[in-house]
Amino acid sequence: MSSIDVKGQQIEVDEDGFLVDPDVWNQDIVEAFAKLEDVTELTEDHWKVINYLRDYYKQFGIAPMIRKLCKDTGFSLKQIYDMFPSGPAKGACKLAGLPKPTGCV
Amino acid sequence: MAQSKTPLLDDLEKGAWPSFVTEMKKAAAKKANSQDLVDQLELSYKDKTGYWKHGGIVGVKGYGGGVIGRYSAKPEEFPNVKEFHTVRVNMVPGFFYTTEALRSLCETWDKFGSGLTNMHGSTGDVILLGTTTENLQPCFDELSEKGWDLGGSGGGLRTPSGCVGMARCEFACMDSMDFIQEVTRHFQNEIHRPAWPYKFKIKCSACANDCAAATARSDFAVIGTWRDTLKIDQKAVNEYVKGGFDIQQLVVGKCPTKALEYTGTELKFDAENCVRCMNCIDMMPKAIKPGKDRGAAILIGGKAPVVKSAFIGWVLVPFMKVDAPYTEIFDLISRITEYFDEHAKARERIGELIYRVGMGNFLKGIGLTPQPQMVSAPRANPYIFWQDEEVVKHG
Amino acid sequence: MAKTDFGPPDYRTMIPPVIANNYGKWSYHEIPQPGVLKHVSETGDVLYSVRIASARLISTDWIKEICDIAEKYCGGYLRFTTRHNVEFLVSDEKQLQPLLADLKGRGYLVGGTGNAISNVVHTQGWIHCHTPATDASGLVKAMMDELHGYFTTMKLPARVRLAVACCVNMCGACHCSDIAIVGIHRTIPRINHEGVAKACEIPSVIAACPTGAIRPNPKLKSVEVIKEKCMFCGNCYTMCPSMEIADPVNDGVSIWVGGKVSNARTAPKFSRLAIPFLPNNPPRWPEVTDAVKHLVEVYAKNARAGERMGEWIDRIGWERFFKLTDIPFTEKHIDDFTFAPTTFRSTSQFRL
């Protein structure tokens, strides 16, 4: 395990930089993650995606499928990649503090 | 002589078959990460278990796939494979290479990675095995500069692959290499930005011998075939027989529909009963050729066991022309993947989706009409779903 | 930023002139000797392809070595096959014998054509997989050290396709191979409840189970496994790292036979269970190599010319297959999953 420095506080993350304890998630962490994932500026649109992901996860216990994410937020997949250059799974889900997406590669 | 640290693996350097251990050691002589890979594998051989952590999600900018994250479960013991990710590089269709191209690939991989590769992985990509998170982006930047793109991973279109086809096979009923190249180019976004419920594989074999294992291993299998009749050169048939070839046992007796009969001077052929299996052509390539009106059959749903069961693909389109610019087949793929994206559950393959919703509903969903070639037999149970529009409404 | 989304290199820039000139014009081929294909074009042009085995996991050093060879004899052109063989593409017939002599001198195995055991399609195993129940490269090396005589000759009744998968995900065509080795687990996943609660999507874990053996444990915000329903596939572990299933004492391999992908003569077939379990005994897995060698030998002795393993078994029946191979038939061989009834015998036609 490693950790990242968020305003002087050490936050534990796994090898891929996802939160080990999702309960510690806060706005400062999002900002720290944003830098690591090549998100230059956190706009209202970014927060729309992040909040959507968190709400969905809270309600269903899983991350939404990407089609659902695009439909419900109104962003195209291209727009999502423009906002989060490392993509919806590695980028957006990480910023939203969701568990690391898994599955057979 | 110092005692070897890897006695178990050393044993696998003996014997006639090419040794992967020797290959690993060659890489280990130059690269610390390959040395740690050897040492970690020795521990696996000793303990009878793998030492790679679960999952891993890393990548390059702008892509959601093409890199598989891998981390050692023993980073203290093997610090140089703490991060040891795989880069999937889109291979040349048909796996043809100039030595210049291969050397350029090796040069980049020697610079950024372990120096170990698989030529090729199960799906077909060049597998560059083992690099750090930090090296991923510069490695891809250089590959891209040299004309190498990444392949697919995750819930999207996987790198399409196929057989050698017309480049070096007289059996080829379609241009599998060109089709694979063009389908890969056409669906780049679907490969690099995975957005579907699960993986989707396209493979193409230019004849029913299916050297690319498309029917068994891909969700969307394109199998080259023809719809006119076999071309038989009777003179060449008789030459095979004169040469001692057992036409009765190897050709006539093996024809699945008994469509062939040899009279002693002539190979008689019941064209309407031919199921285009390729056996007679395989056995007598000089005498029998596929027909001239060529195209492909499409089979859908092939996959390995997890979760619902292994499936061998099912006939979806008995025959279609597959010629550049491939408009019709690309449109079919788009309709199918659109349906897949809309209806499949997370981690459900298209074969499992069809099994769940029913082939009839799937056909309706993608706009195809049922044909008898799609089944080995019609249903034997009376549990038919009649629709409202098919019955007379009361009142 | 790097250029993206341009796809594979154009194959037209990678093929030798003899292929470019005869693309789609090949007339027939012969196999003048094991490992050598002679393709003859309508134009009269001839191409020899010389096939050698590779270790699949190969170093850039080895790639450079085969490049040296291809530059010396083949104008710098070569290809790989779908089964990890390398093919040297010889358009100048005068180069054929010198190439073969050079390959022999370097100890390369030339073969894998026609009625042979070609190279083995396999997975990463302990070398690089995160869910393996066995190694794959080591099994292949150990088996092929015993069986390479079938690679360099063409004396079998038909081709025999081998595949190895390190778990039941069966990456590689194990489910449709003449002989397939598949790594298996045999004990239930060990749940780390805290880990499940923190880092796993519980609905996804439950949905991942083919037999419905996983149910929620709301008290621990985790899941539990119904032991009687678990058949140890490990798919839950794929979804959740806190469901560890690897068990060095009990993991091992199973052997499956009779599958094929070709449509020639008979339809493609699934491989079927022959041996439910053999232990992991690295580095050479003697029990596995013996069993595979035995299967190949019984097939070679009993099958008719042109019969693939599965076609031979179809002709003689599974009852005789088990008798001839002396493999015990157990309840493990009888399917109890989704399509089980389709495998039960519904006729009085069988051999006693």
Side-chain angles (χ1 to χ4, degrees), chain C residues 243-277:
Chain C
M243 305 280 290
E244 258 192 88
I245 192 160
D247 174 351
V249 182
N250 288 296
D251 291 347
V253 306
S254 53
I255 299 185
W256 307 70
V257 298
K260 75 194 263 277
V261 298
S262 161
N263 289 275
R265 303 172 301 282
T266 51
K269 296 177 208 301
F270 286 121
S271 321
R272 305 278 174 181
L273 182 65
I275 301 176
F277 180 77

Side-chain angles (χ1 to χ4, degrees), chain C residues 58 101-103 105 122 138 170-171 176 184 215 226 296 313 327:
Chain C
I58 53 181
D102 192 343
L103 294 172
H122 68 92
M170 296 199 197
C171 305
C176 295
I184 54 163
R215 61 184 171 209
I226 306 161
V296 172
I313 298 170
I327 295 170

Side-chain angles (χ1 to χ4, degrees), chain A residues 57-74:
Chain A
Y57 187 78
K58 211 178 278 169
Q59 193 179 346
F60 300 106
I62 54 173
M65 291 207 274
I66 289 171
R67 188 186 185 86
K68 186 110 182 84
L69 165 72
C70 292
K71 223 184 225 173
D72 291 353
T73 59

